[in-house]
Amino acid sequence: MDFDFPEEATIRKNNKIIDEVLRKRIQIIISQFALKEDFKNDCSIITCSYKLKPSRRKIKKIKGSGSGVIDALFNAAMTELTKKFHSLKEIELHDFLVKVKFNESLQQRKTDAPVEIKIALISSNRRRMYFKSTSSSLVKAGINATCKAIEYLINAELAAMQLSKDIKHAGERNRTDLVTKYTLQLAELVKCVSYAETIKNISKKE
């Protein structure tokens, strides 16, 4: 996949906003990953441990099933993480694309060629988001692409929450310049995913 979808430019732009708003981004660290293929029922079953870095929470184990390793991991992660990150409830796995880069192979049989996987997510407002990863392992490329997608969604929600607070505080200080800046940044983030429920919950707590 030597081309980018227009939506990927939006994600890159939003990542810059997230980096500016958040002091530290959340990372998903996957370990002890195991995959089992149920050929009879045409189903993939995964179990793994994960940790959100730099969170101090302990390592957790998750298990999930689906139509392939990406679907299984996505389902397991979403079931676990929607408990805290509400916007993830609006996200669905839409598609994934696979490209084998035979020109980068070092072996005559080409079996060592790296694989690029690009997954597409779709939100409740029907906006697509693309995330990709390349590895010599098909499974690893799929895992990394899935983690990149979920990391983006988590950090985008945290950034939206912070911007909502910043807009309110800037307004209380009559800093219209900052209100405008933060509002524009938030407007960019919500183009992909709606954070209405998350922001509403913030208002209730305050």
Side-chain angles (χ1 to χ4, degrees):
M1 267 154 275
D2 298 321
F3 64 93
D4 283 346
F5 292 99
E7 293 88 349
E8 292 181 78
T10 300
I11 296 299
R12 287 194 292 269
K13 183 177 181 179
N14 285 354
N15 272 321
K16 291 181 180 179
I17 294 174
I18 293 168
D19 286 336
E20 182 178 342
V21 174
L22 300 180
R23 293 183 179 180
K24 291 184 179 180
R25 294 176 69 108
I26 295 293
Q27 289 182 296
I28 299 177
I29 308 299
I30 298 286
S31 61
Q32 298 178 342
F33 189 92
L35 170 64
K36 179 182 177 181
E37 293 289 353
D38 184 345
F39 290 98
K40 182 178 179 181
N41 297 305
D42 192 22
C43 178
S44 298
I45 303 167
I46 67 99
T47 56
C48 69
S49 298
Y50 85 95
K51 179 177 175 59
L52 297 181
K53 188 180 179 181
S55 173
R56 296 181 180 179
R57 294 188 177 184
K58 296 181 180 179
I59 295 175
K60 289 188 175 182
K61 291 185 178 180
I62 55 176
K63 181 177 181 179
S65 61
S67 300
V69 61
I70 294 177
D71 188 39
L73 177 58
F74 185 80
N75 290 338
M78 287 300 186
T79 299
E80 175 67 25
L81 295 172
T82 49
K83 299 172 185 177
K84 182 176 181 180
F85 302 100
H86 302 292
S87 64
L88 298 184
K89 298 175 184 177
E90 302 181 18
I91 306 300
E92 297 177 9
L93 182 60
H94 181 64
D95 194 10
F96 69 91
L97 309 171
V98 180
K99 179 182 179 180
V100 183
K101 298 185 175 183
F102 290 110
N103 61 325
E104 297 182 21
S105 171
L106 301 176
Q107 297 181 9
Q108 184 178 358
R109 294 186 178 89
K110 306 294 184 181
T111 53
D112 67 327
V115 179
E116 179 183 296
I117 286 186
K118 183 178 290 188
I119 68 172
L121 305 182
I122 191 166
S123 63
S124 58
N125 59 9
R126 311 315 292 173
R127 294 295 295 266
R128 286 178 294 181
M129 297 166 280
Y130 292 91
F131 304 88
K132 63 185 177 182
S133 180
T134 302
S135 173
S136 57
S137 164
L138 178 65
V139 172
K140 186 176 181 181
I143 293 171
N144 289 341
T146 304
C147 286
K148 281 185 179 181
I150 297 174
E151 284 176 1
Y152 168 81
L153 294 169
I154 289 174
N155 286 297
E157 178 170 327
L158 293 174
M161 292 170 62
Q162 185 60 52
L163 284 169
S164 178
K165 295 177 182 178
D166 291 341
I167 291 169
K168 180 181 179 182
H169 296 156
E172 292 171 348
R173 292 183 286 129
N174 294 320
R175 290 293 306 272
T176 56
D177 57 327
L178 293 180
V179 169
T180 300
K181 176 185 176 181
Y182 299 149
T183 301
L184 289 174
Q185 289 179 322
L186 183 58
E188 290 298 324
L189 293 181
V190 300
K191 285 181 179 179
C192 292
V193 181
S194 171
Y195 300 102
E197 181 181 349
T198 301
I199 294 173
K200 184 178 180 180
N201 289 336
I202 295 175
S203 301
K204 287 181 179 180
K205 290 179 181 179
E206 293 182 346

